[in-house]
Amino acid sequence: MSLINKIKICLWILLLPGFLFAQQRVITGTVKDAISQETLPGASIAIKGTTNGVVTDINGKFSIKVQTENTILLVSFIGYELQQIALDGKQTLDILLKPSSMNLNEVVVIGYGTVQKKDLTGSVGTLSGKDLVKVMNSNVTESLNGRVSGVVVTKSSNRPGADMSIQIRGLNSINFSNEPLYVIDGVPSYSGMQFLNPSDIESIDILKDASSCAIYGSRGSNGVVIVTTKGANKTKGFNIEYSGSYGVKTPTRIPDMIGNMGNGDEYVDYRIALWKKKYGDASLSRSDFLTADEKRRIKNGEYYDWIRELSNPGSVTSHSISSSGGSDNTSYTFGFGYLNDKGMIGNEGYNRITANVGLEHRFSKKVKTGITSYISNNNTDFGASDALMNAYLIPPIESPYDQDGNLVFIVQPTSSKINPLVQIQNNKKQEEAFFSNFMGFIDYAPIEGLSLKSQIAYQYQTNLYGEWIGKYTQQKGGVNPEEAYRSENRSKNWVWDNILSYKKQFNENNKLELTGLYSMQKDVREGSSMRGEGLPYASDWHAIQTAEKISDVTSYYTESSMMSYMARANYTFSDKYLLTFTGRYDGTSRLKSPNQWGFMPSVALGWQIKQEEFLKSVEFISNLKLRLSWGKTGNNNLTNDITWTKLNLSRYSFGSTGANGFGIGSNKGNNDLRWEMTSEYNAGLDFGFFKERLTGTLDLYSRTTDGLIFSRSVSSINGYNSVYQNIGTTSNKGIELGLASVNISQKDFSWRTKLNFSLNRNKIIDLFGDKTDDLGNRWFIGQPIQVIYDFKQIGIWQADEVDEAAKYGQSVGHIRVQDVNEDYVLDEKDYQIIGSPMPDWTAGMNNTFNYKQFDLSIDVFARIGGVYNDEFAYMFTAWDNEHWNKINVPYWTAENGSDKYQQVGAQSYYTQVLGKVSGTFVKVQNITLGYSFSPKVLSRIHIKDARIYTSVQNPFTFTDYIGSDPEIIGENVSTQLSLYPMTTSVGIKLNL
Amino acid sequence: MIKNIKKILIIAVAILALQSCTDFLVMDNPSAVTDDFYNSKSGQEKLLTDIYSKYRDVYNTGELQYYGTDLYMAITESPNERMFNGYDNSFNSTAGVIGGYWSNLYKIVQESNILLTRSQLTTPEMNQADYNSITAQARFLRALGYYYLVETFGPVPLYTTEQTSIITEVVRNPEEEIYNFMITELKTIENSLPQRAAEAGRISNSAVLHLLGKLYLTRAYKPFAKPTDYADAAASFEKIIKSTGQEHVLLKKFADVFNENNQNNAEVIWAIQYGTDKNYVGGGDPQQAQFGFNNVALEPDMFIKKQSDYSAMNRNYWINPRVHELFTNPEIDSRYDATFLRELYINNPDNSDYGKLGLYFPRWNDESGDTKNASKYYPFKKDGNYLWYPQSTALPVLLNGSDRMPIMNKFKDTKMIWGGPGSREDIVFRLADTYLLCAEAYLGAGDVANALAKVNTVRRRAATNSTNTAAMELSSITLNVIMDERGRELLGEHDRWFDLKRTGLLITRTLDYNILTAKYHNLNANHLLRPIPQDERNKVKGLDQNQGYN
């Protein structure tokens, strides 16, 4: 007998002694799909309040022994709504399960409380923990892409542990973060979700419209992401869940460099063309045209594909184990997670260890208390600077090895490039980040319907970043002394929320729910850093005091605080008409008195149209609800000391004596700053057709942000460059659509589709009150906040345009840009708006197929439109360094007459146009094939559920982008450059 | 029920009581300091230091001092180089360099204005001597900022006090008004600072007089010149040369002036400071790396990265080969060999010829063909064409350039790390320059004898030894001769473009010497002013563009 089983029996004995003395009887029955009437094998039937349970056989039939005729059965099946069935003396049962898409009793977290989905008046997107685990992203944030409408996730890089950011319903603020507020178990968090183990997450609820976000008042204007971890809910009994997976990452879509994959002659041809064009034919006899070694390799056809030499398959390993359970008075949850994500270049990697504990104790019906804690330790190895960059730049005619097979340091003596394989050994960049979140509450319900909850949460976060730059690195060139850098930061954040809630049903038709809040919050951040140069021995960043020169010593401390009052009223009349009022009054230390306080109200209406008599008889409509809302939110994503005119520390030297100076900063502060406020109208329709075979949600919104805190660029005649002011108005309008359909639902086979679509249009309505553009800041009335304003390429000067080109001082083969005013001078007057780095629309589609015990799911994500500025595309097509390599695209020649890329070596003007690239792509994000073992087999080995699966991430990408991954267009090439992984995994999930 | 209500009340009251802690919403940020700090003496001293530090960038903007002149040329035809060197028709107000230059100068001006507005004798802890010193330095630095603004951009907005509201509309004050302001300011502070600064890098009375003389001299050429300008200029320069304490003297040997172990010597009047302390060196002095070629990259078999031997040259500015011919008699003019490194010895231990001569550039007039057994020999000319040109397809004559030239050796810096920030002082004013400016002033005033005397003093010092001092002397003088002499004496030092502009020789000399400028053949009188940065024009009203630019 397994240990688990022993424990189970012990618990059973401890908790449920009463049943031992009861009389037994046998109940039989069948479980069917409520719509298709197909029988459901594998559905579980449990006796409420016990751990006893059985599952249905292949014909959907079951039999179970019960003690009394008052027993209640819990019938559940993945993808279906849970049903409770009271026996009432019945012996045989015919149970119909509704697919969970019909589940209107689903609970949605709305901030300081929850609401049943049917009573929801705002616009909230929800992603369940199950979905997160299924897609297996190391960073939870990435899972939102294509799964929740209105949400756009931006990845900074494909390196393990890279940052991600989220935008909900477009950009509101011009100068400040548009990142939503994250609330993790009640604590506003500033570090997003990357520290969380997806397996620990119960649900993610994304508040999108202002009426929902108004509950978070001054922090709500960018939307709110509420993360609920698996706290101690009232699960009785004992549960253990394990999931683990292992995946292999291989680089995919490696950009096509000239002469890669052994085709080095192509590079030699390019090199000759470049030198001839740039320096003339005679230059080919120069000693630095090709060194003796290079000539030898060309002669022998000895070529190296540097990116493929440098990259190796990476791997992702994850293990999570969690257990939960409890008794009548106490419940608990415990979880432990491990993730190790190894990158494809050098030591790049990320590993995360998480542990969480939740405990709730109910003293009586009136008083309960509980704690939740979450701890996460994250180690990121950023790999080496320059390694991948060098691999792109070094041409195939260089070798990483000398004649004896040892790694050489300087692989291309004629340029400054050193061997990336050496670089990755000598440059270390590592970060250890620790994140913890503790929350404790006491809840007192003196009378029925009234509850007072006081909750204190504390978040503590530290990180230590260290960097070691050895002598044999690109930075040190093999001659300069070793360098180490260390920085430490920590932040402390506490929130005290006091929540009063009152629920009352006055008669059958009137329901009232009131919530009141008084909250205080304080956030402190501090840290320090230092750099040492000339270190006597390899000490990483742990002995900076031994350095010959210590520099860049910094320290900082900054804090901010907030006080808030909030009230919300939900009123429901006859289950048809829903009304929500919210008001929040926030005070912040970031602004100066008397502008510290801001009031943010909202109102929302819901109408369950299906409940009306006239629709009750319309059969094909199974659900129809209209939602209308208006609300106001603020943006608190300001720097703590935004009102201050801060001085800049500068350094100078008089003779050999160093001197510190303080100059005026580039930004002038402003004591009169007020809240920037966003108001939003939202109209939503929730619908279900054909007995919920097709369900969906449609939202239309229009939001306007007023009194934007602009960092307004001013003439440098002022001595500073910008000043903060409340000016300007921006707007975002958009459509969000979510659809779910059950396409096929048969006994052995089902096919379901989920689709979401988002479209957002962002524009500046006014800036300074006079509807004039601000050219200095590149802000244009009627255009999006971020635009790319530059020359527009209209081709390449062709041979028959030689005279016209000459009028611009240009030659054939140069990039041709549009001369807008046709004055034959190309200057800023010829700039135009090329586009905006925001997609026209995004869409995600998920198809799930179930055949017997197999399940197959395919996720597709599309981002259409948008023009982005991409350093990678620019650098590797525009640069004509005489020794380095570039991307293999059709550069202009007299023969090909390319109208996109300039002639090699032509020293063209306006090469910046090559960095403006389209952001359109369609990706198959994930394909997963799973197999769930039959409960019959499992019950013999005392396992409740078991599923094995294999999946592949990023198998197909369709795009014109010439870099590796279109999703990271704009990646910082000097610090973030990464390869695009395709991950093939196998995994298992067990439920004991 | 009543008990419950009581409880609720107690809790509610407790909560409301908390509201009184309004202190809770006060932010603390001890890491930052605001501009109130400038009301203290310490703050004013720190602000002054900041203004000094901003001058590093003024002198690091080589595009506006070297390109498009007779002595230096661009290496490639890339857009930025072509704009400033070629004055081609793509040169317009969006060139990034001018925006940064403008901003930095106005920051200097406005910081000086803040300092001069805030600094009062009533400032706590202030005494008369410190007040005089702080304000005199700030006035000098502000005037110098305006000098570069007005010479670069022509009429510019003139502000002389702290601005408390945002400037959104301006007028371009006439050049004459700005000159009057600068000269008055410097006259006000004359004799309020020590003749030679006790601390290297500080403004001294000599620096004040040098700039004052230069301002008179510059104005002397302008339409609004005062008749006494040349004489006033000469008088101002003479006050430095003839100062009773002889605080500044010409060193005995030209090479000693640039000895890196003899920085801030008696000949140096004002130099921008860097130093070897990594905390204060900033981006470093780039001068050591700008005029040469990277021999280590070009000949990796011969040379290794060893800072004591060679610098990592980034060859930003190519010395026009004709400049060598300006040194008419390099055998007796010590400046030629002190300025150029022509013999590069192999320092790569892996090379079988280690320690032997690797690259050899003979003196320009050495036509003996003696290769000195160097591995590679690059004579001045080949088949009648200069060989010391960059290789490029821009002009046929460049196709056969060697892409190598003698390396500028004046600024050699062995105390820095390879490719790192240069640590040497960056000389802005030195006494030999004072002599040559003084000669120019005498010449302008019609006093040829004194003009010759001043130039010959500098030339005699340059003689390789005492036997040929007489041979170094000139017997006749013109403005062009003085510009030649400045080329020899001050090669690689600052402001060639400004000198050419002042003397009205920019167009003729540049078109004569600089083959790339000549190729585009677009240089005209409009180019005596640079374009006003478009970005600035977008942000304020009233900033009209200079003629000839869009």
Side-chain angles (χ1 to χ4, degrees), chain A residues 276-280 282-283 286-288 410 413-414 444 446-447 450 452 477 479-481 483 494 496 498 500 518 520-522 531 533 549-552 555-563 565 587-589 596-597 640-641 644-648 650-655 658-666 668 712-721 723 725 775-776 778 807-810 823 825-829 831 907-910, chain B residues 1 4 7-8 11 15-16 18-19 21 24-35 37-38 43 46-47 49-50 52-54 56 76-79 82-83 88-90 92-94 99 102-103 106-107 110-111 114 157 159 163-168 170 199-202 264 271-276 278-280 296-300 305 315 376 391-394 398-400 402-404 417-420 534-536 538-540 543 550:
Chain A
K276 277 186 167 176
K277 177 69 186 165
K278 202 166 170 183
Y279 304 116
S283 67
R286 255 162 60 180
S287 58
D288 54 331
I410 295 175
T414 45
Y444 175 52
I447 53 171
L450 179 70
L452 280 162
V479 292
N480 290 331
E483 184 177 318
W494 62 256
W496 182 31
N498 297 286
L500 183 141
Y518 168 74
M520 288 172 86
Q521 183 183 349
K522 187 155 188 171
R531 188 185 297 279
E533 209 180 290
K549 284 177 186 169
I550 294 174
S551 63
D552 298 355
S555 62
Y556 69 92
Y557 173 98
T558 166
E559 63 178 34
S560 78
S561 53
M562 201 168 133
M563 272 171 94
Y565 301 89
T588 179
S589 67
Q596 284 182 313
W597 289 88
N640 288 352
D641 45 17
W644 290 18
T645 299
K646 288 187 290 182
L647 304 187
N648 267 358
S650 57
R651 311 274 199 174
Y652 194 62
S653 192
F654 290 106
N660 292 335
F662 276 103
I664 45 179
S666 60
K668 192 174 170 70
R712 176 185 179 183
S713 285
V714 296
S715 163
S716 36
I717 293 173
N718 286 289
Y720 43 86
N721 304 97
V723 59
Q725 287 184 336
L775 215 53
R778 309 291 192 238
K807 290 180 189 166
Y808 293 97
Q810 294 175 43
D823 62 352
V825 176
L826 291 167
D827 58 13
E828 201 180 298
K829 294 195 189 81
Y831 284 5
Q907 304 195 51
S908 177
Y909 282 56
Y910 317 118
Chain B
M1 188 69 193
N4 286 332
K7 275 184 192 164
I8 296 164
I11 291 167
I15 288 171
L16 286 173
L18 287 161
Q19 197 195 349
C21 356
F24 188 69
L25 292 186
V26 175
M27 190 238 343
D28 186 21
N29 179 358
S31 322
V33 61
T34 69
D35 64 343
F37 183 49
Y38 292 149
K46 300 267 187 256
L47 178 54
T49 303
D50 184 73
Y52 273 105
S53 76
K54 295 211 153 44
R56 283 178 174 170
T76 71
E77 288 197 286
S78 67
R82 211 168 121 173
M83 253 181 228
D88 83 328
N89 56 4
S90 72
N92 66 54
S93 56
T94 49
W102 166 282
S103 300
Y106 264 108
K107 193 142 201 159
Q110 295 296 10
E111 287 192 346
I114 293 172
Y159 291 93
Q163 301 300 302
T164 49
S165 54
I166 302 170
I167 300 166
T168 54
V170 296
E199 207 174 20
R202 290 272 178 198
N264 295 304
I272 304 298
Q273 304 295 307
Y274 289 91
T276 50
K278 204 171 175 266
N279 282 301
Y280 300 98
V296 176
L298 251 52
E299 304 286 357
K305 295 171 177 174
R315 63 169 210 168
K376 292 190 174 176
Q391 199 166 51
S392 160
T393 49
L398 297 178
L399 283 174
N400 294 310
S402 63
D403 218 39
R404 287 149 176 77
I417 60 169
W418 179 266
Q534 183 60 36
D535 199 40
E536 288 295 303
N538 292 341
K539 290 173 193 166
V540 283
L543 206 54
N550 289 85

Side-chain angles (χ1 to χ4, degrees), chain B residues 24 71 86 104 209 217 290 377 394 416 429 470 472 478 526 537:
Chain B
F24 188 69
L71 306 184
N104 189 42
L209 291 166
L217 181 61
Q290 281 173 332
Y377 169 68
M416 55 182 277
F429 300 158
M472 284 295 290
T478 64
N526 289 336
R537 298 189 56 223

